[in-house]
Amino acid sequence: MSTQVTAIVLAAGAGTRMKSRRAKVLHEIAGRPMLAHALAAVRGAGVDRVVTVVGHDREQVTAALAGIDPDATVAVQEEQRGTGDAVRVALDAVDEVSEICLVTYADVPLLTPETLRTLIDEHRRERRAVTILSSEPEDPTGYGRILRDPSGAVVAIREHKDATEAERATREVNSGILVADGAFLDRAVRALSTDNAQAELYLTDIVARAVDEGLPVGAHVLEDVIQTEGVNDRRQLVRLARELNTRIIDRWLAEGVTVVDPATTWIDSAVTIGRDTTVLPGTQLLGATTIGEGATIGPDATLRDVEVGDEASVVRTHASDAVIGPGATVGPFTYLRPGTVIDAGAKAGAYVELKNTHLAAGAKVPHLSYLGDAEVGEGSNIGAGTITANYDGVTKSRTSIGRHVRIGCDNVLVAPVSVGDGVYTGAGTVVRHDVAAGALAVPESGQRTIEGWVASRRPGTPSAEAADQTTQENIGADQEPQ
Ligand code: UD1
Ligand code: CA
């Protein structure tokens, strides 16, 4: 059975103007490389096969592609001899040319599957040899111009460098994205010449050839110009990233999510958000983060690969690879590191850092604590300033705290250590040994006070002077007549 639609994604170009060690198409917007956006667009359009043409930085691009779309065929273009040559290389990489070929660029990240679908559908409906995606940007400088005859029929594409002044006045330009009949494309790219201003094999020359052969060609003008814009430098990268972010936020607004300040909110393309959730200013929802319904996120929360349950509240928090259960409250000023799991209704409060720690339902760590490699049972409360000493300099050890435990303020739990269900500990306890269920653990010795220590051991210091003054005043007060 022959493959119906093959997508050819061109990614062999150099990207010199990015001034980067990283391949241009691996620069990210909305949390994924431009290459991944391009592949998501063609896959979303429902193509049967994808061939990606690599050249510059091919090791980097090929390695990334294996993670992005392992089913895509990689074709290597040894020398960048032009877009026509790149398509020829792609066709050489498949054993059978499909009925239709879709050509796109890996550095055009805002293109949607819907646009590609429309283009393929129109191409089929009109039974054309070639259908170009064109647009009318404010400034057509640099682009190939779509040349039409007086009847409006497309007759050729003229590259800017080859165009006459009159041809350059044409506003309609070639986006570079096109759909072509497979057999025609295969024949046409093998017959291209380098007889042009750049001495390249222009893919665009297939249009004039189709016209010469009497085959139908056409162009679909896309109103939404930015979808066809490519990235050559970092200015364009950040501009398109901003625009994509606006579009992503717009989609969530339409889905019933309130994003109070789109200008300071960044949401990656893979993020999902439930209805009636409110996202407050300064928030970044990154990676594969998922947010439930009715949650409040922000202000100023940065969540990467975090799962947040319904009705949870996450205020001024930095979190990654963590799970925040339904109705849980986190923040302000909370740092959740990988492996943190906060169950339903539990709380991680102000200036709390958690790493690889599980807070069971209703457990609370309200203030100024660090818990690492710890298990906190249901309904337990951790006093302010408590720390798990989970690292002895060589190995990390776990702390286990049972259900409905009351850890006092300023405790140090020296791991590995286990505290049983229902235990109480006094303020300032250093818990070095396991505590059995229902016990009270308090510091071993009480407070020892040595009178006059400062005057004898720290004479002449501001502390000694302050202490001396107080002593004098007290003596004076004692001597005042009643
Ligand atoms: C191309 C089009 C032009 C169009 C413009 C839109 C041609 C001859 N011209 O011009 O009509 O208006 O895109 O941006 O097609 N590439 C390869 N191998 C190569 C050459 C290019 O893979 O040998 C890839 C590049 O990585 C890039 C894409 O093809 O993704 C376009 O190449 P580029 O050099 O930017 O084409 P333009 O000259 O801008
Ligand atoms: Ca370009």
Side-chain angles (χ1 to χ4, degrees), residues 421-480:
D421 292 339
V423 160
Y424 274 58
T425 69
T429 307
V430 177
V431 182
R432 292 180 188 279
H433 310 291
D434 291 357
V435 184
L440 168 70
V442 291
E444 209 165 354
S445 58
Q447 178 175 327
R448 187 171 153 224
T449 306
I450 303 170
E451 303 285 348
W453 185 90
V454 175
S456 74
R457 304 297 286 274
R458 297 288 182 272
T461 63
S463 303
E465 275 169 36
D468 186 49
Q469 267 171 22
T470 311
T471 316
Q472 295 302 329
E473 278 163 21
N474 287 346
I475 292 164
D478 285 352
Q479 285 175 346
E480 236 149 69

Side-chain angles (χ1 to χ4, degrees), residues 315-319 330-336 348-354:
V315 180
R316 290 187 207 281
T317 292
H318 191 101
V330 175
F333 309 109
T334 305
Y335 183 25
L336 305 182
Y351 306 103
V352 167
E353 174 179 345
L354 303 179

Side-chain angles (χ1 to χ4, degrees), residues 10-13 53 77 80-83 86 105-107 143-144 157 159 174-176 202-204:
L10 304 189
V53 180
Q77 188 190 22
Q80 281 60 66
R81 298 164 63 212
T83 49
Y105 297 167
D107 56 5
Y143 288 101
I157 297 175
E159 290 307 296
N174 173 30
S175 69
Y202 289 168
L203 176 61
T204 44

Side-chain angles (χ1 to χ4, degrees), residues 17 24 105 107-108 142-143 175 230-232:
R17 278 178 282 164
K24 176 169 82 171
Y105 297 167
D107 56 5
V108 178
Y143 288 101
S175 69
V231 170
N232 295 307

Side-chain angles (χ1 to χ4, degrees), residues 134-151:
S134 68
S135 69
E136 297 181 342
E138 282 302 314
D139 180 8
T141 308
Y143 288 101
R145 307 298 203 283
I146 307 291
L147 304 185
R148 292 177 184 263
D149 69 13
S151 77

Side-chain angles (χ1 to χ4, degrees), residues 297-327:
I297 312 294
D300 300 326
T302 299
L303 311 184
R304 180 180 292 283
D305 301 327
V306 174
E307 183 187 327
V308 180
D310 297 345
E311 312 292 334
S313 160
V314 183
V315 180
R316 290 187 207 281
T317 292
H318 191 101
S320 54
D321 292 301
V323 179
I324 297 168

Side-chain angles (χ1 to χ4, degrees), residues 69-289:
D69 192 335
D71 295 334
T73 301
V74 179
V76 178
Q77 188 190 22
E78 293 293 344
E79 208 188 319
Q80 281 60 66
R81 298 164 63 212
T83 49
D85 181 61
V87 168
R88 197 263 311 153
V89 165
L91 294 173
D92 282 348
V94 299
D95 22 278
E96 192 187 6
V97 176
S98 58
E99 185 194 330
I100 286 176
C101 291
L102 163 68
V103 179
T104 66
Y105 297 167
D107 56 5
V108 178
L110 264 59
L111 190 66
T112 67
E114 294 71 34
T115 298
L116 294 177
R117 194 73 254 168
T118 305
L119 197 68
I120 294 167
D121 289 349
E122 180 176 313
H123 179 84
R124 280 208 166 109
R125 201 172 51 242
E126 304 291 332
R127 300 172 176 282
R128 292 187 186 132
V130 185
T131 304
I132 306 292
L133 184 68
S134 68
S135 69
E136 297 181 342
E138 282 302 314
D139 180 8
T141 308
Y143 288 101
R145 307 298 203 283
I146 307 291
L147 304 185
R148 292 177 184 263
D149 69 13
S151 77
V154 174
V155 292
I157 297 175
R158 186 83 69 237
E159 290 307 296
H160 183 93
K161 286 184 179 144
D162 298 286
T164 63
E165 277 310 310
E167 287 168 340
R168 284 182 185 178
T170 309
R171 276 279 307 282
E172 190 186 358
V173 305
N174 173 30
S175 69
I177 292 128
L178 62 80
V179 177
D181 174 83
F184 168 74
L185 184 67
D186 193 51
R187 180 166 85 237
V189 293
R190 291 174 203 287
L192 295 171
S193 89
T194 54
D195 183 17
N196 54 57
Q198 300 179 85
E200 281 182 11
L201 294 163
Y202 289 168
L203 176 61
T204 44
D205 285 350
I206 69 167
V207 172
R209 183 188 172 97
V211 172
D212 280 349
E213 290 187 20
L215 299 171
V217 301
H220 175 90
V221 188
L222 188 67
E223 295 291 327
D224 189 18
V225 177
I226 204 157
Q227 272 195 49
T228 67
E229 282 186 29
V231 170
N232 295 307
D233 60 33
R234 293 182 197 244
R235 281 202 194 97
Q236 291 165 327
L237 184 78
V238 298
R239 201 172 72 79
L240 292 190
R242 162 71 65 193
E243 178 57 30
L244 183 54
N245 188 56
T246 302
R247 290 177 179 213
I248 289 169
I249 289 173
D250 227 54
R251 195 179 85 222
W252 291 117
L253 292 170
E255 290 293 326
V257 175
T258 297
V259 178
V260 172
D261 185 17
T264 63
T265 303
W266 290 85
I267 302 178
D268 279 354
S269 53
V271 169
T272 64
I273 313 173
R275 285 194 177 174
D276 290 317
T277 281
T278 300
V279 180
L280 294 164
T283 293
Q284 298 163 63
L285 303 177
L286 309 175
T289 293

